[in-house]
């Protein structure tokens, strides 16, 4: 039971106390036995990815559920019963009842009865309107599925939803300042060439960040779609580049590679501790052309002069990264974008003033939402006649087993 108790405590911290899934899991796994770590990880991420589908399986057996922790315990238990075939139901139910006693003893009989009914029912078929069926089957909010259908069409929305249930590969970016991609592929059979980015490697081992390849700066962990942003920016050696929302600096270090570490990259974040993350990343990779500073991207005070290239990888709703960050899917509200859209506009309007004539401004997000993407670019161009749109693209998560991303390349006349 200890492994399931740890799993439940992790889920409680993520779902109820709103912790970040990767940070909470990493911290709590330190207290787990080595043999249980994979089991716990599967329960946590599996429950987060399938939370709505799992809840759909048991809610008919409860008139009213007024206890958040017990509801979460039922979700977690039902996930195991449906998706973890090698685990016997009696073990899942017995442990769930024991955990319920620790939460609130009066719910133990309820948990026992509900899970036995689910076990007897097997899997309940999802019925209703096709949009609602898709949302429940893939555990997305219905409003988000409806938005994607409206913006991209049903077929693409369906592919996005099912792609978000897949386990994405661990993707790295080779540090070409230290080693070539071919050398690394020949040296380590666990690496495989990526699907879209020239510098991408797919890693088939575990814990890449703990390997010498990462520690010695031969690779960075970065999604392939994210890597395409630096290519679109198209920086050249000797240029002056501004990265306005840089932390933790992954895109900035890629830009430095493309510049062969020649020129100047000014990058920053509004929080000082995150600026230190940028500096640590540059140091690990052996990059010297980056200067990290505390920077408010909505004002860019104390940022002097103009730049050949400016990157605005703005704060966004994150609807493109739901496969790897299922806690976003669990907590998201349709109102989340209400404060983000004005913030994105403010950053874009401020950053454009720092672009040289004939210079390039790239706007990017890791979300799939035209209000934060194409509509933002349309609004910007309507009030900035000195800029033209050269290229914009959306990368969907089902295309390259990557995150979903949007990026637009604007040039100052």
């Amino acid at each position: 039971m200890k492994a399931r108790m740890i799993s439940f405590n992790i889920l409680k911290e993520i779902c109820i106390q709103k912790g970040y899934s990767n940070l909470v899991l990493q911290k709590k796994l330190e207290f787990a036995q080595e043999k249980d770590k994979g089991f716990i990880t599967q329960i946590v991420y599996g429950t987060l990815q399938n939370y709505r589908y799992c809840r759909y399986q048991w809610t008919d057996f409860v008139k009213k559920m007024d206890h958040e922790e017990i509801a979460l315990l039922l979700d977690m238990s039902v996930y195991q019963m449906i998706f973890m075939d090698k685990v016997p139901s009696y073990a899942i139910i017995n442990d769930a009842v024991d955990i319920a006693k620790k939460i609130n003893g009066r719910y133990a009989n309820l948990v026992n009865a509900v899970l036995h009914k689910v076990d007897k029912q097997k899997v309940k078929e999802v019925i209703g309107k096709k949009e609602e069926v898709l949302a429940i089957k893939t555990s997305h909010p219905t409003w988000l599925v409806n938005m994607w259908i409206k913006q991209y069409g049903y077929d693409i929305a369906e592919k996005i939803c099912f792609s978000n249930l897949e386990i994405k590969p661990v993707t790295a970016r080779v540090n070409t300042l230290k080693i070539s991609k071919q050398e690394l592929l020949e040296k380590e059979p666990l690496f495989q060439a990526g699907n879209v980015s020239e510098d991408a490697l797919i890693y088939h081992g575990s814990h890449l960040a703990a390997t010498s390849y990462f520690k010695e700066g031969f690779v960075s962990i970065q999604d392939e779609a994210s890597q395409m942003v630096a290519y679109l920016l198209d920086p050249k050696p000797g240029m002056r580049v501004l990265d306005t929302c840089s932390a933790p600096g992954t895109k900035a270090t890629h830009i430095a590679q493309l510049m062969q570490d020649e020129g100047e990259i000014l990058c920053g974040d509004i929080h000082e501790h995150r600026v230190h993350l940028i500096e640590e990343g540059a140091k690990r990779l052996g990059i010297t052309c980056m200067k990290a500073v505390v920077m408010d991207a909505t004002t860019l005070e104390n940022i002097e002069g103009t730049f050949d290239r400016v990157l605005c990888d703005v704060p966004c709703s994150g609807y493109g990264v739901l496969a790897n960050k299922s806690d976003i899917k669990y907590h998201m509200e349709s109102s989340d974008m209400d404060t983000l859209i004005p913030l994105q506009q403010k950053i874009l309007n401020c950053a454009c003033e720092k672009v040289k004539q004939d210079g390039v401004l790239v706007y990017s997000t890791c979300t799939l939402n035209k209000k934060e993407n194409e509509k933002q670019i349309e609004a910007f161009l309507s009030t900035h006649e000195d800029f033209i749109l050269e290229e914009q693209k959306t990368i969907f998560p089902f295309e390259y087993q990557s995150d979903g991303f949007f990026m637009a390349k604007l040039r100052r006349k």
Side-chain angles (χ1 to χ4, degrees):
M1 194 209 25
K2 189 175 181 183
R4 289 192 177 91
M5 190 75 228
I6 293 172
S7 302
F8 175 74
N9 285 332
I10 292 170
L11 283 166
K12 183 172 71 172
E13 197 165 327
I14 295 166
C15 300
I16 298 175
Q17 298 168 15
K18 298 189 176 180
Y20 293 108
S21 57
N22 57 334
L23 298 179
V24 175
L25 187 66
Q26 183 180 352
K27 181 178 68 176
K28 296 288 188 181
L29 280 180
E30 293 177 7
F31 302 100
Q33 294 183 37
E34 196 63 37
K35 66 181 180 66
D36 292 332
K37 288 182 179 180
F39 179 73
I40 292 168
T41 301
Q42 184 179 352
I43 290 176
V44 170
Y45 281 131
T47 303
L48 287 172
Q49 279 194 321
N50 298 281
Y51 74 97
R52 194 174 178 194
Y53 181 67
C54 291
R55 189 157 296 195
Y56 181 82
Q57 301 297 321
W58 64 260
T59 46
D60 282 352
F61 302 128
V62 181
K63 287 183 180 179
K64 182 183 179 183
M65 175 52 70
D66 55 0
H67 199 296
E68 204 171 6
E69 289 185 25
I70 295 296
L72 183 60
L73 174 63
L74 289 170
D75 295 341
M76 181 187 96
S77 303
V78 170
Y79 168 76
Q80 295 168 74
M81 293 169 76
I82 294 176
F83 292 97
M84 298 176 74
D85 298 336
K86 295 179 182 178
V87 181
S89 293
Y90 72 84
I92 298 166
I93 296 171
N94 288 345
D95 280 0
V97 170
D98 287 340
I99 295 170
K101 288 176 181 176
K102 287 180 168 59
I103 298 168
N104 187 325
R106 67 189 184 91
Y107 285 93
N109 289 337
L110 173 71
V111 167
N112 184 57
V114 169
L115 291 180
H116 272 103
K117 288 176 181 178
V118 171
D119 190 38
K120 186 178 179 181
Q121 167 189 267
K122 301 307 178 189
V123 177
K124 177 185 172 186
E125 184 183 357
V126 183
I127 56 174
K129 293 181 179 179
K130 68 176 185 176
E131 297 89 349
E132 185 74 4
V133 170
L134 176 60
I136 294 171
K137 276 187 173 180
T138 61
S139 294
H140 288 78
T142 303
W143 63 262
L144 180 61
V145 172
N146 285 330
M147 186 187 81
W148 281 339
I149 291 170
K150 185 177 179 180
Q151 293 183 356
Y152 304 114
Y154 184 85
D155 289 346
I156 287 179
E158 183 180 44
K159 288 178 181 177
I160 294 170
C161 288
F162 279 103
S163 176
N164 286 340
L165 294 180
E166 297 173 2
I167 298 173
K168 305 290 183 178
V170 176
T171 311
R173 188 192 77 235
V174 62
N175 179 10
T176 51
L177 299 173
K178 287 193 173 186
I179 193 171
S180 73
K181 182 177 178 180
Q182 192 56 40
E183 283 179 278
L184 206 47
L185 287 169
E186 291 171 2
K187 190 175 181 180
E188 178 51 76
L190 291 175
F191 283 120
Q192 169 196 328
N195 298 313
V196 61
S197 167
E198 188 179 326
D199 291 333
L201 294 164
I202 295 169
Y203 184 63
H204 294 285
S206 58
H207 307 299
L208 177 56
T211 65
S212 59
Y213 299 110
F214 181 85
K215 290 178 180 178
E216 294 174 22
F218 292 111
V219 298
S220 291
I221 298 170
Q222 185 182 14
D223 181 80
E224 282 203 67
S226 172
Q227 293 180 35
M228 300 309 293
V229 174
Y231 289 121
L232 190 65
L233 190 68
D234 192 27
K236 307 294 184 187
M239 281 186 170
R240 191 167 192 244
V241 177
L242 175 64
D243 183 359
T244 62
C245 307
S246 187
T250 314
K251 295 181 183 69
T253 56
H254 194 196
I255 293 166
Q257 287 178 210
L258 298 180
M259 292 169 61
Q260 298 169 30
D261 203 22
E262 297 174 10
E264 179 191 359
I265 303 172
L266 187 61
C267 47
D269 188 270
I270 197 166
H271 301 292
E272 188 172 355
H273 72 278
R274 288 176 61 80
V275 172
H276 293 317
L277 289 177
I278 302 172
E279 293 171 334
E280 288 167 9
K283 184 179 179 181
R284 181 180 63 84
L285 298 169
I287 291 168
T288 60
C289 73
M290 286 170 54
K291 182 182 178 183
V293 298
V294 175
M295 181 188 301
D296 182 349
T298 64
T299 63
L300 294 180
E301 291 176 346
N302 304 322
I303 304 301
E304 297 179 356
T306 54
F307 297 80
D308 302 286
R309 300 286 187 268
V310 176
L311 173 60
C312 293
D313 185 52
V314 297
C316 67
S317 55
Y319 301 155
V321 297
L322 300 184
N324 291 320
K325 296 182 179 179
S326 297
D327 46 318
I328 296 176
K329 187 169 70 169
Y330 192 92
H331 294 303
M332 63 172 58
E333 301 287 346
S334 59
S335 58
D336 292 345
M337 67 186 85
D338 293 345
T339 54
L340 288 168
I341 289 172
L343 176 63
Q344 293 160 354
Q345 289 172 340
K346 200 169 182 180
I347 292 172
L348 190 54
N349 288 331
C350 184
C352 74
E353 300 297 327
K354 298 297 179 181
V355 183
K356 285 182 180 177
Q357 286 191 347
D358 199 39
V360 168
L361 170 65
V362 166
Y363 172 90
S364 63
T365 74
C366 60
T367 198
L368 300 172
N369 176 13
K370 289 191 175 183
K371 292 178 181 178
E372 297 177 71
N373 297 338
E374 289 91 341
K375 295 295 183 185
Q376 287 284 40
I377 299 302
E378 286 176 20
F380 174 80
L381 291 172
S382 69
T383 56
H384 294 81
E385 295 180 357
D386 53 336
F387 279 86
I388 58 170
L389 176 63
E390 287 195 342
E391 185 181 353
Q392 67 178 354
K393 64 173 74 174
T394 298
I395 298 176
F396 292 107
F398 56 81
E399 293 181 290
Y400 306 109
Q401 285 191 298
S402 70
D403 289 337
F405 248 82
F406 172 83
M407 54 201 81
K409 181 178 183 179
L410 303 155
R411 187 176 294 275
R412 190 166 205 168
K413 296 178 187 176

